[in-house]
Amino acid sequence: MKKILIIEDDLLISSLVDFRLKKEGYITKLVVDGNEGVEAIQEFKPDLIITDVMMPFKSGIELIHYAKKEFPDIPIIVLSSLGEEEGVVLEAFHLGVSDFIPKPFNPNELALRVKRVLN
């Protein structure tokens, strides 16, 4: 079973993502800020990271930078309401993210994109 780390400070969104991905058969771990995200990447060894951009302590961009430096083969999907801020999206892709999903999002589309990234 593939393991997915969800780094999201909005508990409603993280619960929705968690529920949908567990329904697809994935093992998930939820954390609520960038610092917890760094620890979870090291300990949980995920097959995929889903992260927000704006979070407490470390931003999603800082977290992506860390993850791609230390674990370059782990794909990352950014799930963020910053879709209209082209600079943030471009920076995330420049750092090596696999996909960007703007909030609000369709949980079925998220599940399809996760499956595509992991295959």
Side-chain angles (χ1 to χ4, degrees), residues 7 9 19 26 28 33 38-39 46 65 70 76 83 93 95 112:
I7 309 166
D9 60 328
F19 175 79
Y26 299 110
T28 61
D33 66 55
V38 167
E39 289 177 22
H65 183 72
E70 300 296 322
I76 300 173
F93 277 112
L95 290 172
L112 286 171

Side-chain angles (χ1 to χ4, degrees), residues 48 94 97-98 102:
L48 171 67
H94 178 72
V97 300
S98 301

Side-chain angles (χ1 to χ4, degrees), residues 23-68:
K23 189 175 171 186
E24 292 293 315
Y26 299 110
I27 298 167
T28 61
K29 180 174 181 68
L30 299 174
V31 297
V32 297
D33 66 55
N35 287 343
E36 286 184 16
V38 167
E39 289 177 22
I41 291 168
Q42 296 167 353
E43 295 168 11
F44 186 58
K45 305 279 193 256
D47 296 296
L48 171 67
I49 298 167
I50 298 175
T51 185
D52 191 2
V53 173
M54 300 301 286
M55 295 181 296
F57 306 117
K58 275 191 187 357
S59 73
I61 295 297
E62 291 173 300
L63 189 115
I64 292 163
H65 183 72
Y66 165 79
K68 285 301 181 182

Side-chain angles (χ1 to χ4, degrees), residues 3-119:
K3 300 189 300 184
I4 301 175
L5 175 60
I6 303 161
I7 309 166
E8 169 65 63
D9 60 328
D10 183 318
L11 296 179
L12 180 63
I13 291 173
S14 63
S15 296
L16 174 65
V17 173
D18 182 57
F19 175 79
R20 187 64 179 92
L21 295 178
K22 281 183 176 170
K23 189 175 171 186
E24 292 293 315
Y26 299 110
I27 298 167
T28 61
K29 180 174 181 68
L30 299 174
V31 297
V32 297
D33 66 55
N35 287 343
E36 286 184 16
V38 167
E39 289 177 22
I41 291 168
Q42 296 167 353
E43 295 168 11
F44 186 58
K45 305 279 193 256
D47 296 296
L48 171 67
I49 298 167
I50 298 175
T51 185
D52 191 2
V53 173
M54 300 301 286
M55 295 181 296
F57 306 117
K58 275 191 187 357
S59 73
I61 295 297
E62 291 173 300
L63 189 115
I64 292 163
H65 183 72
Y66 165 79
K68 285 301 181 182
K69 181 179 174 199
E70 300 296 322
F71 304 93
D73 295 333
I74 299 175
I76 300 173
I77 295 176
V78 173
L79 183 66
S80 180
S81 57
L82 292 175
E84 58 281 348
E85 292 192 25
E86 188 178 332
V88 174
V89 176
L90 290 175
E91 184 175 1
F93 277 112
H94 178 72
L95 290 172
V97 300
S98 301
D99 205 348
F100 179 89
I101 302 173
K103 295 177 189 174
F105 63 93
N106 178 320
N108 294 327
E109 180 183 352
L110 172 70
L112 286 171
R113 290 191 188 203
V114 165
K115 187 175 184 178
R116 181 183 56 83
V117 167
L118 287 173
N119 288 335

